[in-house]
Amino acid sequence: MSNTTTPTLGYYRLQGIAQPIRLLLAYTGTAYTDKQYDYGLTADTYRVHWLKDKFTLGLEFPNLPYYLDGDVRLTQSHAIMRYVGRRHGLVATDETGLVRQDMLEQQLVDIRVAFAMGVPFSWGNNFTADKAKYINDTLPPQLAQLSRFLGDNQWFTGRNINYVDFLAYQQLDWLRQLSPETLATVWTESDMGAQ
């Protein structure tokens, strides 16, 4: 692992699943190259940008996002988050924190999948109904669970910020943009013990 190279984060020219990585890198003051690929809606546009690099980077599992740091070549957004978190001491250090860290990370994956299946992939005739169903039925219980899990802690794993807090922040920000009133209402009710 080299400390003399500037790491590179490769992803599409959008926030997506790389945004928590960018936030974590900014928080840690890590100088890095943000290699952004155009995301085209046609196979030809897609091939021109990402596919020309895909198999030339020495990645075990070529995919986006990727992170290159000297000899370290990573794909998978959570593996990248864990790596950067470990490098900067932003991981749990005791068993209780590790359990909370691991559990929250997987819960956030479940929330992201429910969001993706409930809203963005539903751009057809049922979008409005599917969005309303997600906001009314799926989102409130998920947010209430997160609020209870956070409890009185400042951060999800306890008293110290952790890489999963950046994952949670980005997920909550997406949900806030989708339905600000739901996020505010559920979080407030849960804090007051109503749910």
Side-chain angles (χ1 to χ4, degrees), residues 3-177:
N3 293 326
T4 61
T5 61
T6 300
T8 298
L9 174 65
Y11 193 63
Y12 297 114
R13 194 179 309 278
L14 48 86
Q15 288 188 1
I17 60 175
Q19 192 63 12
I21 301 167
R22 291 182 186 117
L23 294 172
L24 183 58
L25 291 168
Y27 179 83
T28 61
T30 303
Y32 71 100
T33 301
D34 192 7
K35 171 74 171 160
Q36 296 185 357
Y37 294 91
D38 288 329
Y39 183 80
L41 297 178
T42 67
D44 289 337
T45 307
Y46 178 70
R47 268 195 276 291
V48 166
H49 297 99
W50 159 236
L51 293 183
K52 74 176 184 175
D53 286 350
K54 185 173 183 175
F55 299 105
T56 66
L57 299 169
L59 300 168
E60 294 289 336
F61 301 103
N63 205 350
L64 293 173
Y66 63 79
Y67 191 73
L68 310 175
D69 185 11
D71 295 334
V72 174
R73 297 182 162 329
L74 293 169
T75 53
Q76 300 299 339
S77 59
H78 289 200
I80 296 167
M81 293 289 295
R82 282 186 221 114
Y83 170 77
V84 174
R86 285 192 307 270
R87 295 268 314 216
H88 296 280
L90 297 174
V91 293
T93 57
D94 63 12
E95 192 61 29
T96 301
L98 288 167
V99 167
R100 291 180 66 82
Q101 170 184 291
D102 294 348
M103 198 164 39
L104 178 63
E105 182 178 330
Q106 292 308 302
Q107 183 63 25
L108 292 169
V109 169
D110 289 350
I111 291 170
R112 187 175 71 207
V113 168
F115 169 76
M117 298 308 291
V119 181
F121 291 138
S122 166
W123 291 111
N125 297 333
N126 297 325
F127 175 72
T128 302
D130 290 344
K131 178 181 173 185
K133 181 174 175 36
Y134 174 79
I135 289 171
N136 294 324
D137 298 344
T138 305
L139 187 54
Q142 288 179 335
L143 292 174
Q145 287 175 341
L146 281 178
S147 181
R148 281 192 302 271
F149 187 77
L150 178 63
D152 293 333
N153 292 320
Q154 181 176 2
W155 307 106
F156 277 105
T157 57
R159 285 181 264 158
N160 299 309
I161 193 167
N162 182 302
Y163 77 90
V164 293
D165 292 297
F166 293 88
L167 293 168
Y169 172 83
Q170 187 63 32
Q171 187 67 49
L172 291 169
D173 190 50
W174 291 339
L175 297 173
R176 178 194 56 80
Q177 291 177 49

